[in-house]
Amino acid sequence: MLSNRAGDSKRSSLHGHWSSRMAFILAVTGSAVGLGNIWKFPYIAGQNGGGAFVLVYLVCVIVIGMPVMMSEILIGRRGRRNPVATMELLGKEEGSSSHWRLVGTLGVLAGILILSYYSVIAGWTLAYVVKSASGVFVGASAEAVGENFASFVGDWRLVALCHTLFMGLAVFVVARGVERGLEQAVRFMVPALLFLMLVLLGYSINSGYFGEGVAFMFTPDFERLTWNSVLAALGQAFFTLSIGMGAIMAYGAYLPEETSITGASAAVVTADTAIAMLAGLAIFPLVFANNLDPADGPGLVFDTLPLAFGQMAGGVFFSTVFFVLLAFAAWTSAIGLMEPAVAWIVERFSKTRAQATVMTGSIIWLVGLGSVLSFNVLADLKFLAGTIFDNVDYLTSNIMLPLGGLLIVVFAGWVMCRNSTADELGGSGTLYKAWRLLARFIAPVGILFVLINAIK
Ligand code: PFF
């Protein structure tokens, strides 16, 4: 059977294209590597008991994350539009339904909701740049660092100001467009971040508690594993790889035809996982060395790393650079979170990129005020999963992303015809067969199984 694509001419994207294969890999890595690796992974692993969670997370990354990422890129490149329009177009082209566009709509919403709180935490990192540079952490005790964090997040005006600043930065880059804005930011950030994680790792190896940290992360205690923590691991795999919400689909739309989707996905998944593991290995020994609680929650990184920097030679410098890099990592991820909404508004309502970005950014900023307040004024307002922040996080990571990912692999594995996917993935060899097996059976069944068991 011939490919389902009408005519043989290849489409091109309205929004421009990546200048090279490397630019694409950098952009996807920039979107994947972010607060999810350094801020979220350690605290979620800590809250879910460590070892068994980490193991489930790694399995989810490999058998679910990798095929979903490949599916998202191939769908994006084939449609070459915003995620809503791409799903609608391919749904029709593959002889199914235009309602598949709802997968794109779900992604646009997920991106807006995730960025609403992501920007708040990214704002914390901006504040920590200033705190680090001013030397407040030099020689500080664990209590002092902890109190510093608590009084900072307790001040809603300050947190709101940092959130506003960060959203301003995100809007600025996204408004500049694909080539000028997105590519520039990631070129040096990932290698530099890796380097600093290694410096921190060196410190934690010498902390005397490295063995405890490693044991916590890698000794699985399955007794502590509940279906909810399996869902948290699955959600974290989606979150950290930026999949399940159309961001990678939007990036795939700007990908040149000849780039290998499998190779690019493998590179991104490896870099992302390595950085999360390094973050855990740097942080948990410090937690045990200072009698802190691994289940500390969202403040974990802000309570541990400044402590290590405060005791290091050159700590003021390293700490400042580290938080600058973390803010950069968050920045390149924020771009991915906005891209589906912005590309959709540009195409659907014929707005300029700048107008679409300002509109999206304003909505996200407003929604984000809920998360700003959930660490102070509204800290006691708890329902369902906890505070407003907890609820937005749970809804997006644990429900919207897995659901979006499920629909995306089902679409690529079952709705798209074999020739269309083989065409995008470059042939029908062993790798293609492995992808298809994962995309048709293992990933969808795995996601459904976890979702059903955790939610019932
Ligand atoms: N992957 C990012 C992180 O780990 O911080 C978060 C993220 C970015 C999720 C972009 C989704 C996205 F589209």
Side-chain angles (χ1 to χ4, degrees):
M1 188 170 66
L2 280 172
S3 140
N4 274 348
R5 196 199 299 254
D8 241 348
S9 62
K10 302 274 182 186
R11 293 185 188 101
S12 71
S13 163
L14 272 178
H15 307 271
H17 289 99
W18 304 109
S19 59
S20 66
R21 166 189 139 87
M22 199 55 201
F24 172 74
I25 295 185
L26 282 170
V28 179
T29 310
S31 147
V33 174
L35 297 173
N37 306 63
I38 292 166
W39 159 74
K40 199 172 188 195
F41 169 73
Y43 91 74
I44 301 226
Q47 284 178 330
N48 287 281
F53 172 90
V54 175
L55 190 73
V56 176
Y57 159 81
L58 289 174
V59 171
C60 289
V61 163
I62 297 163
V63 301
I64 297 177
M66 182 76 188
V68 173
M69 177 171 285
M70 290 168 64
S71 305
E72 252 195 82
I73 303 176
L74 82 85
I75 293 173
R77 184 164 72 182
R78 206 157 177 85
R80 292 247 184 255
R81 316 224 161 142
N82 72 76
V84 181
T86 285
M87 290 303 297
E88 178 169 352
L89 175 74
L90 296 189
K92 284 192 269 185
E93 196 170 87
E94 297 288 341
S96 180
S97 151
S98 59
H99 291 316
W100 281 101
R101 72 169 173 278
L102 292 174
V103 176
T105 314
L106 182 75
V108 168
L109 282 177
I112 289 174
L113 285 174
I114 294 177
L115 189 51
S116 79
Y117 76 78
Y118 200 85
S119 160
V120 176
I121 314 297
W124 297 358
T125 68
L126 292 179
Y128 269 64
V129 170
V130 179
K131 283 178 191 284
S132 299
S134 66
V136 276
F137 301 124
V138 178
S141 64
E143 292 73 43
V145 173
E147 271 162 28
N148 195 305
F149 176 74
S151 73
F152 165 65
V153 292
D155 183 346
W156 75 267
R157 286 189 193 83
L158 205 52
V159 177
L161 177 73
C162 297
H163 163 57
T164 310
L165 248 170
F166 183 80
M167 274 315 297
L169 289 173
V171 165
F172 174 71
V173 184
V174 177
R176 282 169 66 92
V178 172
E179 277 131 63
R180 279 185 308 157
L182 309 196
E183 271 185 44
Q184 298 304 328
V186 277
R187 278 196 187 269
F188 80 99
M189 186 225 44
V190 175
L193 200 61
L194 244 154
F195 171 76
L196 272 188
M197 291 313 300
L198 288 172
V199 171
L200 277 171
L201 182 68
Y203 178 84
S204 84
I205 289 176
N206 289 318
S207 68
Y209 284 79
F210 191 62
E212 278 84 342
V214 173
F216 180 75
M217 266 182 79
F218 296 113
T219 313
D221 173 3
F222 288 103
E223 304 254 296
R224 300 193 55 178
L225 202 65
T226 59
W227 277 110
N228 239 314
S229 42
V230 176
L231 179 60
L234 178 71
Q236 174 61 15
F238 275 95
F239 184 89
T240 192
L241 297 175
S242 309
I243 52 178
M245 52 148 285
I248 300 295
M249 199 185 288
Y251 280 17
Y254 317 141
L255 181 64
E257 291 294 338
E258 59 290 349
T259 304
S260 152
I261 291 179
T262 314
S265 305
V268 173
V269 169
T270 308
D272 188 80
T273 310
I275 293 190
M277 293 297 115
L278 273 178
L281 286 175
I283 285 160
F284 288 118
L286 300 176
V287 168
F288 297 115
N290 293 287
N291 268 325
L292 298 170
D293 179 7
D296 190 26
L300 187 65
V301 165
F302 297 91
D303 283 339
T304 49
L305 294 188
L307 202 63
F309 286 123
Q311 287 157 19
M312 246 179 231
V316 170
F317 172 76
F318 279 135
S319 173
T320 311
V321 175
F322 175 81
F323 284 109
V324 168
L325 285 173
L326 195 53
F328 260 105
W331 201 8
T332 54
S333 296
I335 298 168
L337 286 160
M338 286 182 90
E339 191 58 25
V342 170
W344 176 66
I345 294 176
V346 169
E347 289 175 34
R348 176 75 176 71
F349 302 101
S350 308
K351 297 280 177 212
T352 64
R353 196 169 171 90
Q355 288 167 330
T357 312
V358 171
M359 281 165 65
T360 313
S362 310
I363 295 171
I364 295 174
W365 177 82
L366 203 65
V367 180
L369 293 180
S371 288
V372 166
L373 298 178
S374 69
F375 290 98
N376 33 64
V377 182
L378 300 180
D380 293 328
L381 176 68
K382 296 210 169 129
F383 52 100
L384 301 169
T387 59
I388 298 177
F389 159 79
D390 294 325
N391 277 291
V392 179
D393 179 30
Y394 190 91
L395 173 70
T396 49
S397 296
N398 294 15
I399 298 175
M400 292 172 91
L401 297 186
L403 191 65
L406 173 67
L407 294 168
I408 286 166
V409 271
V410 165
F411 186 81
W414 292 95
V415 176
M416 290 181 78
C417 83
R418 205 170 201 286
N419 284 15
S420 309
T421 48
D423 181 24
E424 293 299 332
L425 293 180
S428 47
T430 319
L431 275 178
Y432 175 75
K433 292 201 181 96
W435 168 78
R436 205 161 142 90
L437 177 74
L438 289 169
R440 281 166 77 87
F441 302 102
I442 312 223
V445 171
I447 299 171
L448 257 183
F449 197 68
V450 177
L451 273 176
I452 290 171
N453 273 296
I455 287 168
K456 78 170 184 221

